């Protein structure tokens, strides 16, 4: 039996009838058409399905959609600002931190969440923040450099605290 839930996804309110066993990943992709959230392993190991749920990055494959009832959800589709890439997205492009792109949405959301909580992370803090996101194509050095560059850009633009 389906249950009606409400969620705010990328600033837009949705009311959706979902089966109790549907994951947040499935609802985002199949019901809302937000295909930027990738389904990789389906068991929370790869982080390709990372979204920001009520301010914290989560593996949406491990969250039942009914658990997100009443929540704020941010997906990669909601990261860009007024037709411009978010500084994290731009830094990924500028620093060659994208290979095949499958892990990139999850990486960007984990990095964005980190920078919102910690505007000036150390390299170790960046590595810890993205440790739940696996990249099978490239090393992590360019990704870490991109996150640190985004931190500097956001500081210059006054988008961070401190």
């Amino acid at each position: 039996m389906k249950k009606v839930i409400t969620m705010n996804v990328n600033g837009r309110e949705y009311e959706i009838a979902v089966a109790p066993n549907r994951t947040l990943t499935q609802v985002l992709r199949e019901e809302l058409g937000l295909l930027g959230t990738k389904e990789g392993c389906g068991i929370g190991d790869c982080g390709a399905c990372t979204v920001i749920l009520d301010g914290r990055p989560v593996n949406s494959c491990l969250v039942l959609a009914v658990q997100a009832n009443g929540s704020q959800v941010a997906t990669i589709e909601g990261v860009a600002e007024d037709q411009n890439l978010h500084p994290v997205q731009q830094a990924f492009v500028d620093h060659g931190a994208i290979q095949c792109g499958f892990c990139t949405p999850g990486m960007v959301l984990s990095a964005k969440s980190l920078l919102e909580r910690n505007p000036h992370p150390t390299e170790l803090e960046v590595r810890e923040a993205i440790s739940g996101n696996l990249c099978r194509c490239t090393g992590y050095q360019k990704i870490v450099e991109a996150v640190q560059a985004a931190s500097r850009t956001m500081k210059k633009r006054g988008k961070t605290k401190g």
Side-chain angles (χ1 to χ4, degrees):
M1 178 176 203
K2 290 187 175 184
K3 178 179 179 179
V4 176
I5 64 170
T6 60
M7 296 187 298
N8 182 304
V9 181
N10 300 328
R12 181 174 171 194
E13 291 291 329
Y14 291 92
E15 185 176 285
I16 312 158
V18 298
N21 63 344
R22 303 276 291 166
T23 67
L24 184 55
T25 301
Q26 292 169 322
V27 169
L28 291 170
R29 290 181 58 82
E30 298 166 19
E31 303 295 327
L32 303 183
L34 298 171
L35 303 178
T37 302
K38 306 299 185 203
E39 183 163 4
C41 67
I43 57 173
D45 281 344
C46 73
C49 64
T50 300
V51 299
I52 299 175
L53 178 66
D54 293 329
R56 305 298 280 181
V58 299
N59 291 322
S60 62
C61 70
L62 298 180
V63 177
L64 293 173
V66 294
Q67 293 174 303
N69 187 24
S71 294
Q72 302 278 327
V73 180
T75 70
I76 193 68
E77 289 88 350
V79 172
E81 304 166 330
D82 301 325
Q83 305 297 321
N84 296 311
L85 294 178
H86 183 278
V88 174
Q89 293 172 305
Q90 188 62 55
F92 270 59
V93 172
D94 294 345
H95 291 266
I98 300 170
Q99 292 291 314
C100 81
F102 191 79
C103 71
T104 304
M107 288 279 188
V108 167
L109 288 167
S110 290
K112 181 178 181 290
S113 178
L114 167 67
L115 295 177
E116 288 172 354
R117 290 179 280 117
N118 179 0
H120 311 293
T122 65
E123 180 177 336
L124 178 60
E125 290 168 330
V126 172
R127 289 183 182 279
E128 287 174 354
I130 62 171
S131 65
N133 298 88
L134 299 180
C135 175
R136 293 175 176 91
C137 298
T138 184
Y140 291 86
Q141 188 59 38
K142 289 185 177 188
I143 294 170
V144 171
E145 290 170 5
V147 174
Q148 292 179 311
S151 170
R152 290 187 297 273
T153 298
M154 292 169 71
K155 181 178 181 182
K156 285 180 190 171
R157 292 182 184 176
K159 290 189 170 233
T160 61
K161 301 170 196 158

